[in-house]
Amino acid sequence: MLSRERIEIKTPDQVRLLRRAGLVVADIHAALREAVRPGVTTAELDAVSAAVIERAGAHSNFQGYQGYPATVCVSVNEEVVHGIPGARVLRAGDLVTFDCGAFITDDQGAQWHGDAAFTMPVGGEYSSRVDRILDATTHEALWAAIAALARAVSGEATGRARRLNAVGDAVEDVVDAVAAREGIELGILQEYVGHGIGTAMHMAPDVLNYSVRRKGPRLRPGMVLAVEPMLTAGGPQVRELEDGWTVVTCDGSHAAQWEHTVALVPGGVWVLTAPDGGVEGLAAHGLEPCPLD
């Protein structure tokens, strides 16, 4: 259900603070990509994430959140989200998702958060055609959703496409097209969705990854959203393990997640957790990001 709580609207200066937090998250991602290899444990990768946060003088917004014990969620193969790092040793061909975040504090002590996720095959080679399609489709769906946000704020979109569920519509369109073209089943998680972000990691509104009749609030500059499609190579049904965190697919199919923190600004969007602000991802849609000076 879409949250009825008030949506926090950021000033340009506050968006700039969020960009600083977003770049810390981007640095975590870069360090994790470099460190991932067959034989590494997920706990060792959490240590990599923690070290980047410490060097930046930032803080983890995952560690301690409702008791979560690490700075990054590491979800492998059939694990969809919230995998806890530990003694597990990654193998070549594992499909692994990293979801992490960080916050900085301003001179008044307010927190400003970033949150992003990516999926990759360990060792650089996918173990199956389905894994390759799953990962690519999730990535494509993320950028289609971000492009929909950009068009909504720029005034290019009309009607329903100017509302929040433009995200869910875009994700579902991509997933349906790929599933039909490739002849495979792809599921969209409904229990776990994106969210507003700013002075807290999770804020209003909920950002659905699937279409619903309800249109949601009108999209406007000052909103900052964590957009995070989560797909499975099978059915969308999931269950939580006894650790109280790790979510896995019920049918054992593999899963992928991609996420960025996106600021809606006059004329379009600024992808705060992408080092280039969204240049590469938006180019495929004929768009450019709108970074604030």
Side-chain angles (χ1 to χ4, degrees):
M1 179 178 293
L2 292 176
S3 173
R4 296 181 182 274
E5 298 178 51
R6 183 179 66 85
I7 298 172
E8 184 180 80
I9 301 299
K10 284 75 171 177
T11 67
D13 282 345
Q14 290 169 342
V15 171
R16 294 184 185 98
L17 288 166
L18 291 168
R19 172 61 166 170
R20 285 174 51 196
L23 289 175
V24 175
V25 180
D27 286 345
I28 300 170
H29 283 195
L32 289 170
R33 289 180 185 278
E34 185 174 342
V36 173
R37 64 185 186 281
V40 72
T41 68
T42 54
E44 289 172 323
L45 294 170
D46 178 58
V48 169
S49 170
V52 173
I53 295 170
E54 183 177 6
R55 285 197 302 270
H59 308 273
S60 172
N61 48 14
F62 277 46
Q63 190 166 36
Y65 180 81
Q66 297 184 2
Y68 188 74
T71 67
V72 59
C73 297
V74 186
S75 305
V76 185
N77 294 331
E78 75 282 358
E79 298 173 351
V80 188
V81 289
H82 304 162
I84 299 175
R88 181 169 187 167
V89 177
L90 295 181
R91 301 174 300 175
D94 280 340
L95 191 66
V96 59
T97 293
F98 298 95
D99 185 6
C100 59
F103 71 87
I104 63 167
T105 55
D106 63 21
D107 293 339
Q108 286 72 47
Q111 297 179 3
W112 300 96
H113 291 254
D115 184 11
F118 70 97
T119 298
M120 65 176 291
V122 176
E125 296 291 335
Y126 293 99
S127 63
S128 69
R129 166 181 173 269
V130 171
D131 274 4
R132 176 180 56 78
I133 294 170
L134 169 66
D135 188 20
T137 304
T138 312
H139 186 256
E140 180 183 351
L142 169 67
W143 284 102
I146 293 173
L149 293 175
R151 293 191 175 100
V153 180
S154 70
E156 179 182 341
T158 60
R160 177 183 174 89
R162 297 186 66 183
R163 300 277 184 167
L164 181 61
N165 206 59
V167 169
D169 292 347
V171 171
E172 197 161 296
D173 285 348
V174 168
V175 172
D176 288 349
V178 172
R181 182 179 71 241
E182 301 291 345
I184 63 173
E185 181 180 7
L186 293 170
I188 303 174
L189 261 69
Q190 296 193 8
E191 292 91 338
Y192 299 89
V193 299
H195 50 90
I197 186 170
T199 52
M201 181 165 61
H202 292 116
M203 310 183 76
D206 292 340
V207 182
L208 306 186
N209 296 312
Y210 53 92
S211 294
V212 294
R213 183 172 298 177
R214 189 185 307 107
K215 298 175 184 178
R218 184 176 295 277
L219 297 164
R220 62 190 182 97
M223 292 181 175
V224 181
L225 307 172
V227 181
E228 51 180 322
M230 290 165 261
L231 307 183
T232 71
Q237 295 78 21
V238 295
R239 61 185 178 89
E240 187 177 88
L241 298 185
E242 292 182 0
D243 63 18
W245 284 102
T246 308
V247 176
V248 301
T249 58
C250 290
D251 60 10
S253 60
H254 287 185
Q257 176 194 11
W258 282 83
E259 176 185 17
H260 272 305
T261 295
V262 183
L264 279 57
V265 298
V269 298
W270 191 13
V271 186
L272 303 180
T273 46
D276 66 0
V279 172
E280 182 178 356
L282 289 171
H285 298 271
L287 300 169
E288 296 180 354
C290 299
L292 299 179
D293 295 332

